[in-house]
Structure formats: C-alpha cells, structure tokens
Amino acid sequence: MRIHIWIRSVFGFTVIVKCILAASLVSKPDEKVHDQEYWYEQARISLRKRLQYATDLRPHAKNVLLFVGDGMGVATATAARILRGQRMGKKGEDHDLAWDTFPAVAFAKTFNMDAQIGESSACATALMCGVKTNFETVGLDARGRFENCFSSFSSRVSSLIDWAQESGKSTGIVTNTRITHATPAALYGHSPSRYWEDDSKVPPASRKSCKDLARQLIENDPGRNINVLMGGGRRHWLPKVAHDPEQTKEEGRRLDGRNLIDDWVRDKKKRSLKSEYVWNKGQLDKINPNQIDYLLGLFSYSHMDFEADRDPGPTGDPSLADMTRSALSILLKNPKGFFLFVEGGRIDHAHHYNNAYRALDETLAMETALLAALALVNPTETLIVVTSDHSHVLTMGGQATPRGHPILVRSGICYVLT
C-alpha cells in the first residue's frame, strides 16, 4: 500500500503518523496475541527513530485531511495516472496525479493479525486506530474475535476521530460507500463483525449486548459528535416498515422499529445544535454552511452510484468532490482546526466486479475531490495524507506495448478477478 503525505510546512500530526507506522509493523509469529498497547509502543519506537533524522521540527498540523482509496494499489494508481494523462490528450505515462507531487512517499504492510491478505475493516482499524486486528473485525484489537460479542467489550480501541475531538477539532466523514461500511466504521465503531451494520445482521443472542454500527454512530462517542457525515446506506438507518424516499419499493432493514435518521435529527435538536439532514444533490447544494454545524447526508439506499453512472442532476447523487467541498465549508469554521476523512470507496467495488474502467475512473474521481480540497485549505497548516486501506489485483503487462497506448484497450491491462 502506498502512502502519499503532504507535509509542506508542518512536520506532522503525531496521532495519524502513529496509526500509519503501526499499520505497517510486523509482529513475530511466535509472540502472543497483542493488545493495543503493544502497537502503540511499537509506533513510539518507530517515531523516535525517525525523529532523530528530522532537521526541521515545525508545529503540529492544525488540520488533517486523510484520503483513502479503498483497494487502490500501486498498479491501480499507475493505470489511473496514465488514463488521466490520456484524457488530457497526452501519451499519459509522464502525467502526474495530484498526490504524485507530494514530498513524502511511504509504503505500509496491510496484513491482518490472522490473515496474510487484509480486508477493509481490519486494515482500516490498523490505519486509523494504529492497532493491528483480526480479519473482518472493526475498531478492536486482536483480542476481539469475529462475531463474538463478548470479546468486543475489552478490546475496543480509539481512533483518529476520538483524538481529534479531544483536541477540540471538528470532524467529518465523506464516503461514496455506505457510511456504516467497513472502512469508515473504523473511525467510530467497535464491532466483532463488519457486517453488523444494522440490528438485523446481529445474531439475536447478541442484540441486547452489542449495538450495530448505525446505532453506535448516532448514540456513542465519537460518532454522535461528528460534525459531517456523508455517504450512502439509508437502508441500515430505516425500519422495515419505512420505504426508501428514492427507491420507493425498497424498505429499511432495521428490526427494532427505529428510524435512526429521525433519532439523529432529534439528538441535535435536543442539544441545541444547528443541524440539517439531506438525501440528494439538490438539497446538499442548498445548505448554508454558516447556519449549520452538523450535517447528515445519506444519498442512496446502499452504496452511492459509480461516478460513471451518477445522475448529476438535483435528484441524483453528489460527487465525491461535491461532498468534500460541502464538508470543508462547515469544518473550516472551527478555529481549532478539523479532521476530515474522505474515502473513494467504490474503487474496490469496481475491482470486485472486474471492471477496470470504473476502478480507474473512481480513482480519478478521488483525485478530483483532493484537488477540490487543496483549493480550499491552507497547506501551511494542513497535513494531507493520501493512501489506501489495502490493494487489489490489477496487472499491467505487455513488453511490446508502445508509449501512449490507450490504457483500457487490448494489451494495456490484464485484469484479474479475485
């Protein structure tokens, strides 16, 4: 996994560096199961080593932007870079994506504690909580066991959003997947299964003891204090008796009878917080960021549309760049700064569908969102990290492929289904 970090005039934001370093560390195979303190200490050791070589110690970043391309490995980024150049009328190979010009580049190992090949929830926990964990668990250390509710009680770990809120910063999550999906869930959730997005997915014996991820997001800290939440997945917020406002034939999936969207709105009103809920692009375009401090945007029944399929009209989905701009318009008001997570989550889904075009197009959509953010923030006080939670299979091959060969035509890409 490649990590691009913009540290133009700040040395770093310690907690996010701790997460990235811990995510890349290797444990010895004969050692016992490690809890969170093991990984924190390993990160401190790595940080101290790196600080010995620092010649320009500057203040911590006021703001942090973390862009994660889900499933965006090196080959995906390379092919997307070429595609962007070719769309601009160039040969493509010598083009640079926005993050290619960042001054620092690093790699991270993405294995899970019990798996050689990582998946999103465990990889996101390592990336955003600084702790390696087990396959398909989220927000827990390695003592958490898959689908074991009891194991989650003592294994919960804090995240970048916890630490940002403790510092008085505003926080936000933007994704084009379901907001309760594996990667964003690591920022607020603690679950022995990434699939417990609503209570219908939680085994009946565990429902009284373990909350689903959607409930955690609106009831628990830090989720209920996140200023901006935008993505998809209304189905996990709505009860079975409620029809989706967009896909009217579809019902919610909650079995507890609760409408968590209404609960989110009610909570903000009860605490006298200026808030708004929106569910399409037209409504998002009309918000006045000066009049609200909390925004919930749920733009689709499940995941949001691929950029190639997106309806740009007012009843359609906003783009990743649209959501990023709207999020920043709210978060930038805090004089103490902000932490914003932006996920290009559908890169991974396109890979799962064996769809090279959409995987690369989604990568470029995330770059467009990054460019939108760069136009709004002050780089002298903002730490910008672009990375992935894990890679995915995409192979570029062909010895005789000439410069400028269309990247999506014939021998340009050999795409492997996993």
Side-chain angles (χ1 to χ4, degrees):
M1 177 181 73
R2 197 168 188 177
I3 303 171
H4 303 259
I5 309 172
W6 189 342
I7 50 176
R8 180 172 176 180
S9 67
V10 291
F11 178 71
F13 187 62
T14 302
V15 292
I16 199 167
V17 175
K18 175 172 74 173
C19 287
I20 292 170
L21 291 174
S24 68
L25 294 171
V26 182
S27 61
K28 297 178 181 178
D30 58 344
E31 291 178 332
K32 64 180 181 179
V33 173
H34 300 304
D35 64 11
Q36 54 196 280
E37 288 304 320
Y38 170 85
W39 297 106
Y40 293 161
E41 180 56 27
Q42 294 302 304
R44 293 184 196 106
I45 292 170
S46 296
L47 278 170
R48 285 194 288 268
K49 289 180 180 178
R50 284 157 176 80
L51 286 172
Q52 293 175 6
Y53 304 101
T55 58
D56 188 11
L57 293 176
R58 299 177 181 179
H60 285 201
K62 174 183 173 182
N63 309 312
V64 177
L65 278 168
L66 175 58
F67 280 76
V68 175
D70 198 317
M72 186 185 73
V74 174
T76 300
T78 300
R81 170 170 54 82
I82 295 172
L83 179 60
R84 177 70 87 192
Q86 292 180 348
R87 285 180 173 179
M88 297 171 67
K90 302 188 295 185
K91 289 187 175 181
E93 292 83 3
D94 57 348
H95 182 72
D96 285 329
L97 294 175
W99 53 77
D100 291 326
T101 63
F102 285 12
V105 179
F107 283 89
K109 303 179 182 73
T110 58
F111 67 93
N112 301 154
M113 282 302 294
D114 58 349
Q116 188 176 73
I117 306 299
E119 55 77 42
S120 288
S121 62
C123 287
T125 300
L127 179 64
M128 294 183 285
C129 305
V131 175
K132 287 286 191 185
T133 193
N134 294 320
F135 198 77
E136 295 188 327
T137 65
V138 61
L140 310 176
D141 64 28
R143 294 172 295 173
R145 300 297 177 181
F146 181 65
E147 291 196 332
N148 184 325
C149 174
F150 180 78
S151 72
S152 68
F153 300 161
S154 60
S155 59
R156 298 179 182 184
V157 295
S158 54
S159 75
L160 288 163
I161 279 190
D162 287 289
W163 301 324
Q165 289 182 359
E166 288 169 6
S167 299
K169 299 181 185 299
S170 295
T171 52
I173 295 175
V174 168
T175 179
N176 50 13
T177 70
R178 298 190 296 268
I179 199 74
T180 51
H181 205 237
T183 306
L187 285 164
Y188 62 83
H190 312 280
S191 178
S193 172
R194 59 175 286 182
Y195 304 110
W196 292 4
E197 295 184 60
D198 63 63
D199 64 324
S200 71
K201 297 297 184 180
V202 181
S206 300
R207 287 177 192 163
K208 289 185 177 180
S209 302
C210 279
K211 295 181 181 180
D212 58 83
L213 288 165
R215 271 190 68 194
Q216 291 185 47
L217 181 55
I218 70 154
E219 293 182 355
N220 296 0
D221 295 337
R224 72 190 194 102
N225 294 316
I226 297 173
N227 297 83
V228 177
L229 293 165
M230 284 192 277
R234 286 190 298 260
R235 69 188 193 187
H236 300 298
W237 297 63
L238 298 174
K240 285 282 290 182
V241 296
H243 288 271
D244 186 78
E246 188 176 23
Q247 299 185 33
T248 54
K249 293 183 179 180
E250 298 287 354
E251 294 181 333
R253 295 194 174 186
R254 301 199 63 82
L255 300 180
D256 57 10
R258 294 179 61 180
N259 184 321
L260 297 188
I261 298 171
D262 290 345
D263 289 352
W264 182 90
V265 172
R266 191 177 301 113
D267 171 71
K268 302 302 177 285
K269 288 183 178 179
K270 183 178 180 181
R271 293 193 282 159
S272 300
L273 301 174
K274 296 180 290 184
S275 64
E276 190 160 346
Y277 164 66
V278 296
W279 59 269
N280 62 36
K281 184 180 184 300
Q283 293 172 351
L284 180 65
D285 290 342
K286 292 178 182 178
I287 67 163
N288 185 340
N290 296 319
Q291 296 179 355
I292 61 171
D293 297 318
Y294 289 82
L295 174 65
L296 173 62
L298 297 174
F299 300 108
S300 60
Y301 179 71
S302 182
H303 299 302
M304 294 175 66
D305 289 336
F306 286 111
E307 182 64 20
D309 308 316
R310 184 176 65 85
D311 174 6
T315 61
D317 292 348
S319 68
L320 200 61
D322 292 333
M323 292 189 288
T324 300
R325 280 188 288 265
S326 295
L328 287 171
S329 70
I330 295 171
L331 300 179
L332 281 165
K333 295 187 297 180
N334 188 340
K336 293 184 178 180
F338 66 83
F339 168 82
L340 175 61
F341 167 83
V342 180
E343 182 197 20
R346 305 233 62 195
I347 301 169
D348 181 75
H349 297 158
H351 279 309
H352 283 299
Y353 299 149
N354 201 26
N355 191 316
Y357 174 84
R358 281 171 175 75
L360 303 187
D361 193 57
E362 288 297 312
T363 303
L364 298 183
M366 192 179 80
E367 188 208 21
T368 301
L370 173 61
L371 291 169
L374 292 176
L376 295 174
V377 302
N378 182 351
T380 65
E381 57 184 21
T382 305
L383 173 65
I384 304 167
V385 179
V386 180
T387 186
S388 176
D389 51 354
H390 59 80
S391 184
H392 213 293
V393 177
L394 185 146
T395 301
M396 296 176 60
Q399 287 181 323
T401 306
R403 279 282 307 278
H405 184 86
I407 193 65
L408 290 170
V409 176
R410 292 185 289 121
S411 62
I413 289 181
C414 173
Y415 203 77
V416 182
L417 179 65
T418 59

